[in-house]
């Protein structure tokens, strides 16, 4: 077990696709001696970088799944939590962000801050993750790390603090000037493993001095010690590092470092920076909720001797069963001990505990607060909390958005049928935004998710990882229905069939509500006997799955029951459920029901010359422009667009911008569909019903 928490770093590496995250991670593993050879990402040797273990990822060049890898650098234990960058996978990104204490934000020295950098940065900001910016690809034509630094300020509104300068750029990129040590560093040997420290090149002296002063000025804003030392001209390396560290952890600055992962330059200095400037587990406050105290917030203590609290943040199918990655927040987990899953209340015995290195593992006996490890043989979902059973806290429940898109999948043959259900079971465990349901009438399996690509990826994974070939329907938007007016109801359900009959009467009103559904009992004088009140609730609830407009799920309804009647013999649970359903059927159409559609937040980035065109195609799609910004010949357009209008958008965007713009999209909220569109939806729905009836 790692005992000195001040030497632990749990970090993520986040980036826009293609900035070199995979390459950088691989170099980190090489320099920390976790792997013994460097392979090129998507390289000719067909091996590929270590962290990308899925074929699909390699092919698409995006990292979809997060994995945690442990390595050591000097005296530091570094856990690297791989954070997927694509917005369609926000749940995975957010879960990974929660378990890390700090991050490296990789930027491309040529492209600078790109669309995903913005998304990733926004998420890090939300979770208060301190970060170091690493400007990669300094060897590429057009590299300009200082421009990337400026964009951190202009586009991300961060306070960048330049710690290094490049020695040469593009194909003349040789190494780094360290503004803290005022030394030069060059990297030689086949893999850049030989670090040559030297004096600053004469022609860079003046620039380095100027940049060092700027760095000190920035830092002095946040450190009195440093300000004092500057006045007395007693600035030391140690004082500067201390100031950088505390300002980074307090989110006052973002240190900017640079290099070239591909050309093996300066990655070691970045690793030094991770140790020196990013927080250790005790520098960060972690909060949980107390399930027995109405989810009141409690602060956890990174103390290995306190009651155990840990979070399963990622699952994998291993050769030995389910492998669950865990972040220990408090207490200690040890082999052979019993743990409780707070969601299910089930007790489990910890069989095997390991530390992962991408796909290799090392057995360990225990892991303490602040550490990351993985266990075998305990069935759980991603996002579950485990404790030792003596505490009632759970890691804060995360906001899980409702899926906005759905399609049906049918297996091609019998073998695919079995494999498909295995695959779907696994995916729903890993990803709460991915759901599976079946159509009551047709029996077809429906998968639900956050966007086209989200579902595409799972369909691909079914094929590749589970050899389940499936046929899919075109994706459908997940509409909702709601009511807009208060309507009174009074309904009697009466049936006289020979012996015992059925009787139940409910009265009250429906009205628009804040919650998806709320049932309010205002019955006085026992007009409906106590035991049948839940039956009314159940009856109303059974109507929510299919609204009466287009059979979309109903949301935002408050049902108040304030009167009714019962019969001493004929009243029953079933009778009151039926009465509630009857009341609903009568009242709902009068409450001016409305169709709601998912609205997406769309951001498009590309050369400024296309701004007009981009705005045009968004407007054609019922988009509302929220903002446009332009700098350095690049523009960014943000808009809210109904999901229904976004199908096939990438193709349209590509042809409108010669493939030079890209877009990201995430769910924003549900909003009423305009009248004409609603009418169309209703018409389409009726046609479908008629077709089914034939
Ligand atoms: P990711 O999508 O962020 O994981 O990026 P990759 O690591 O897959 O890199 C994308 C491409 O950029 C690959 O072809 C890499 O070889 C290349 N690349 C990565 N780092 C550098 C670098 O420092 N310099 C140059 N010139 N190319 C790089």
């Amino acid at each position: 077990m790692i005992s000195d928490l001040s030497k632990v770093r749990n970090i993520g590496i986040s980036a826009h696709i293609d900035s070199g995250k995979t390459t950088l991670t691989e170099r980190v593993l090489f320099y920390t001696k976790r792997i013994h050879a460097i392979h090129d990402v998507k390289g000719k040797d067909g091996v590929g970088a270590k962290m990308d273990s899925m074929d699909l990822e390699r092919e698409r060049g995006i990292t979809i799944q997060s994995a945690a890898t442990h390595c050591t650098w000097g005296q530091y234990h570094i856990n690297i939590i791989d954070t997927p960058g694509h917005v369609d996978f926000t749940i995975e990104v957010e879960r990974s962000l929660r378990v890390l204490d700090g991050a490296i934000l990789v930027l491309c020295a040529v492209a600078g801050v790109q669309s995903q950098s913005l998304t990733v940065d926004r998420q890090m900001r939300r979770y208060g993750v301190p970060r170091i910016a690493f400007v990669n690809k300094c060897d590429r034509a057009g590299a300009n790390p200082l421009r990337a630094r400026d964009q951190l300020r202009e586009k991300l509104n961060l306070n960048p603090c330049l710690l290094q300068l490049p020695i040469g750029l593009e194909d003349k990129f040789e190494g780094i000037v360290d503004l803290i040590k005022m030394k030069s560093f060059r990297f030689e040997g086949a893999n850049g493993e030989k670090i040559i420290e030297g004096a600053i090149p004469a022609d860079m002296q003046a620039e380095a001095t100027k940049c060092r002063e700027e760095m000190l000025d920035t830092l002095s804003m946040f450190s009195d010690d440093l300000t004092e030392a500057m006045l007395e001209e007693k600035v030391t390396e140690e004082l500067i590092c201390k100031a950088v560290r505390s300002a980074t952890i307090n989110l006052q600055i973002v240190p900017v470092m640079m290099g070239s992962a591909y050309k093996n330059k300066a990655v070691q200095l970045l690793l030094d920076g991770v140790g020196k400037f990013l927080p250790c587990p005790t520098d960060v406050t972690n909060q949980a909720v107390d399930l027995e105290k109405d989810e009141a917030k409690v602060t956890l203590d990174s103390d290995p001797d306190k009651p155990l609290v840990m979070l399963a943040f990622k699952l994998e199918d291993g050769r030995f069963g389910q492998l669950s990655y865990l972040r220990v927040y408090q207490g200690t987990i040890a082999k052979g001990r019993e743990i409780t899953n707070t969601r299910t209340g089930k007790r489990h015995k910890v069989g095997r505990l390991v530390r992962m290195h991408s796909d290799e593992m090392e057995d360990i006996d225990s892991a303490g607060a602040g550490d990351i490890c993985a266990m075998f043989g305990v069935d759980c979902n991603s996002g579950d909390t485990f404790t030792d059973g003596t505490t009632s806290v759970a890691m804060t429940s995360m906001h899980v958005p409702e899926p906005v898109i759905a399609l049906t999948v049918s297996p091609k043959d019998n073998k695919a049928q079995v494999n498909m259900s295995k695959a779907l079971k696994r995916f729903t465990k890993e990803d709460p935004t991915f759901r599976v349901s079946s159509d009551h009438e047709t029996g077809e399996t429906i998968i639900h998710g956050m966007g086209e690509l989200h579902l595409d990826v799972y369909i691909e994974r079914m094929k590749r990882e589970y050899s389940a070939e499936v046929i899919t329907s075109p994706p459908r938007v997940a509409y909702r229905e709601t009511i807009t007016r208060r309507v009174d109801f009074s309904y009697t359900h009466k049936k006289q069939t020979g012996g015992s009959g059925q009787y139940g009467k409910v009265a009250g009103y429906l009205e628009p509500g804040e919650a998806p559904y709320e049932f309010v009992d205002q019955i006085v004088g026992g007009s409906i006997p106590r035991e049948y009140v839940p039956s009314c609730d159940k009856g109303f609830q059974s109507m929510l799955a299919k609204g009466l407009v287009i059979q979309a799920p109903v949301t935002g309804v408050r049902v108040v029951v304030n009167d009714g009647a019962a019969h001493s013999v004929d009243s029953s649970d079933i009778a009151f459920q039926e009465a509630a359903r009857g009341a609903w059927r009568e009242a709902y159409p009068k409450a001016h029901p409305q169709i709601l559609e998912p609205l997406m937040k769309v951001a498009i980035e590309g050369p400024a010359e296309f701004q007009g065109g981009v705005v045009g195609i968004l407007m054609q799609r019922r988009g509302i422009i929220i903002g446009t910004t332009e700098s350095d010949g690049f523009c960014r357009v943000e808009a809210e667009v109904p999901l229904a209008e976004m199908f096939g958008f990438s193709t349209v965007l590509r042809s409108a911008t010669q493939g030079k713009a890209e877009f990201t999209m995430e769910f924003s909220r549900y909003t009423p569909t305009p009248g004409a569109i609603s009418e169309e939806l209703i018409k389409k729905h009726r046609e479908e019903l008629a077709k089914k009836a034939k």
Side-chain angles (χ1 to χ4, degrees), residues 45-91:
D45 59 3
V47 181
K50 201 94 193 169
M51 293 290 276
D52 266 6
S53 51
M54 295 197 325
D55 274 359
L56 174 62
E57 270 179 53
R58 213 170 295 168
E59 207 163 274
R60 294 201 179 204
I62 53 175
T63 308
I64 296 155
Q65 288 202 307
S66 57
T69 285
H70 179 263
C71 58
T72 52
W73 181 247
Q75 49 185 339
Y76 294 103
H77 294 269
I78 304 176
N79 290 307
I80 303 171
I81 298 111
D82 190 22
T83 55
H86 200 282
V87 265
D88 254 325
F89 302 94
T90 31
I91 270 288

Side-chain angles (χ1 to χ4, degrees), residues 133-187:
F134 180 71
V135 185
N136 189 35
K137 301 200 186 183
C138 285
D139 61 302
R140 259 189 65 190
N144 187 344
L146 296 192
R147 185 179 58 208
R149 184 263 325 255
D150 293 341
Q151 289 179 350
L152 285 170
R153 180 177 296 119
E154 290 153 14
K155 294 196 178 177
L156 299 182
N157 213 4
L158 296 169
N159 187 13
C161 180
L162 195 70
L163 305 186
Q164 298 173 332
L165 280 176
I167 305 176
L169 272 175
E170 306 183 337
D171 55 354
K172 301 204 171 55
F173 179 59
E174 285 173 29
I176 287 298
V177 165
D178 180 328
L179 299 173
I180 300 177
K181 289 195 163 96
M182 287 304 265
K183 285 265 160 61
S184 73
F185 291 88
R186 288 182 168 80
F187 306 84

Side-chain angles (χ1 to χ4, degrees), residues 17-309:
I17 287 172
D18 258 12
S19 334
K21 181 174 101 171
T22 313
T23 312
L24 175 68
T25 309
E26 155 119 297
R27 294 322 189 251
V28 166
L29 297 180
F30 176 79
Y31 295 124
T32 58
K33 302 206 167 50
R34 298 303 322 208
I35 55 174
H36 303 291
I38 288 175
H39 304 288
D40 256 339
V41 182
K42 298 152 212 150
K44 288 174 210 76
D45 59 3
V47 181
K50 201 94 193 169
M51 293 290 276
D52 266 6
S53 51
M54 295 197 325
D55 274 359
L56 174 62
E57 270 179 53
R58 213 170 295 168
E59 207 163 274
R60 294 201 179 204
I62 53 175
T63 308
I64 296 155
Q65 288 202 307
S66 57
T69 285
H70 179 263
C71 58
T72 52
W73 181 247
Q75 49 185 339
Y76 294 103
H77 294 269
I78 304 176
N79 290 307
I80 303 171
I81 298 111
D82 190 22
T83 55
H86 200 282
V87 265
D88 254 325
F89 302 94
T90 31
I91 270 288
E92 287 232 45
V93 179
E94 295 196 5
R95 209 186 279 130
S96 321
L97 286 180
R98 274 202 79 189
V99 303
L100 47 86
D101 302 318
I104 299 169
L105 182 63
V106 185
L107 301 175
C108 168
V110 183
V113 171
Q114 289 164 284
S115 58
Q116 273 162 0
S117 327
L118 285 142
T119 311
V120 167
D121 190 72
R122 191 169 59 238
Q123 284 162 340
M124 288 198 201
R125 206 179 286 256
R126 190 171 336 138
Y127 285 88
V129 180
R131 42 223 186 269
I132 295 177
F134 180 71
V135 185
N136 189 35
K137 301 200 186 183
C138 285
D139 61 302
R140 259 189 65 190
N144 187 344
L146 296 192
R147 185 179 58 208
R149 184 263 325 255
D150 293 341
Q151 289 179 350
L152 285 170
R153 180 177 296 119
E154 290 153 14
K155 294 196 178 177
L156 299 182
N157 213 4
L158 296 169
N159 187 13
C161 180
L162 195 70
L163 305 186
Q164 298 173 332
L165 280 176
I167 305 176
L169 272 175
E170 306 183 337
D171 55 354
K172 301 204 171 55
F173 179 59
E174 285 173 29
I176 287 298
V177 165
D178 180 328
L179 299 173
I180 300 177
K181 289 195 163 96
M182 287 304 265
K183 285 265 160 61
S184 73
F185 291 88
R186 288 182 168 80
F187 306 84
E188 291 177 2
N191 299 308
E193 66 277 19
K194 262 194 245 152
I195 306 173
I196 316 285
E197 189 178 322
I200 296 176
D203 60 348
M204 286 187 72
Q205 269 296 346
E207 191 192 0
T209 309
K210 180 179 137 262
C211 288
R212 178 180 159 99
E213 263 157 36
E214 279 172 16
M215 172 187 78
L216 291 176
D217 276 346
T218 306
L219 292 171
S220 65
M221 309 277 285
F222 309 105
S223 165
D224 293 341
D225 290 353
L226 188 65
T227 314
E228 218 168 279
M230 280 161 71
L231 290 173
E232 291 168 14
E233 295 190 1
K234 281 185 187 154
V235 176
T236 61
E237 182 184 333
E238 199 194 333
L239 262 176
I240 304 175
C241 287
K242 224 175 116 190
V244 176
R245 177 178 181 79
S246 88
T248 305
I249 294 175
N250 293 322
L251 304 172
Q252 291 156 325
I253 61 157
V254 170
V256 180
M257 306 182 80
M258 60 197 68
S260 163
Y262 183 67
K263 291 283 167 73
N264 306 315
K265 293 202 193 312
V267 174
Q268 298 97 323
L269 302 188
L270 174 67
L271 278 168
D272 289 342
V274 166
K276 279 191 264 185
F277 311 133
L278 287 180
C280 73
T282 51
D283 287 326
V284 181
T285 318
N286 292 300
Q287 285 196 318
V289 294
D290 193 331
L291 298 178
E292 281 175 5
K293 293 199 183 121
D294 212 10
E295 302 226 333
K297 288 214 164 107
V298 274
T299 300
L300 298 174
D301 209 347
S302 298
D303 181 344
D305 298 323
K306 287 218 163 165
L308 174 71
V309 181

Side-chain angles (χ1 to χ4, degrees), residues 279-412:
C280 73
T282 51
D283 287 326
V284 181
T285 318
N286 292 300
Q287 285 196 318
V289 294
D290 193 331
L291 298 178
E292 281 175 5
K293 293 199 183 121
D294 212 10
E295 302 226 333
K297 288 214 164 107
V298 274
T299 300
L300 298 174
D301 209 347
S302 298
D303 181 344
D305 298 323
K306 287 218 163 165
L308 174 71
V309 181
M310 58 184 188
L311 175 76
F313 66 93
K314 158 89 184 149
L315 313 175
E316 251 170 36
D317 269 326
R319 262 166 295 159
F320 311 98
Q322 179 175 314
L323 181 64
S324 318
Y325 287 86
L326 303 165
R327 158 93 198 226
V328 187
Y329 283 97
Q330 187 175 277
T332 300
I333 177 176
K335 226 164 80 175
R337 293 248 186 97
E338 286 212 342
I339 53 172
T340 304
N341 183 330
T342 52
R343 182 177 57 86
T344 61
K346 277 197 190 136
R347 297 280 285 169
H348 301 271
K349 194 164 173 173
V350 181
R352 191 171 168 208
L353 216 53
V354 296
R355 230 190 258 302
M356 292 301 297
H357 157 229
S358 202
D359 50 6
E360 287 153 32
M361 59 185 94
E362 165 199 344
D363 276 89
I364 54 173
D365 291 327
S366 64
D371 206 353
I372 282 172
C373 63
M375 69 179 169
F376 274 111
V378 173
D379 190 50
C380 67
N381 284 4
S382 234
D384 282 354
T385 299
F386 286 97
T387 68
D388 56 6
T390 66
T391 164
S392 56
V393 307
M395 296 312 298
T396 331
S397 56
M398 282 188 42
H399 162 73
V400 180
E402 286 289 312
V404 289
I405 202 168
L407 52 82
T408 60
V409 287
S410 31
K412 278 206 173 137

Side-chain angles (χ1 to χ4, degrees), residues 448-466:
H448 309 254
M450 299 312 296
E452 259 176 311
L453 181 61
H454 189 205
L455 295 184
D456 268 5
V457 163
Y458 283 118
I459 289 160
E460 291 270 346
R461 281 186 64 189
M462 276 196 247
K463 195 161 94 189
R464 279 159 197 269
E465 293 172 38
Y466 292 84

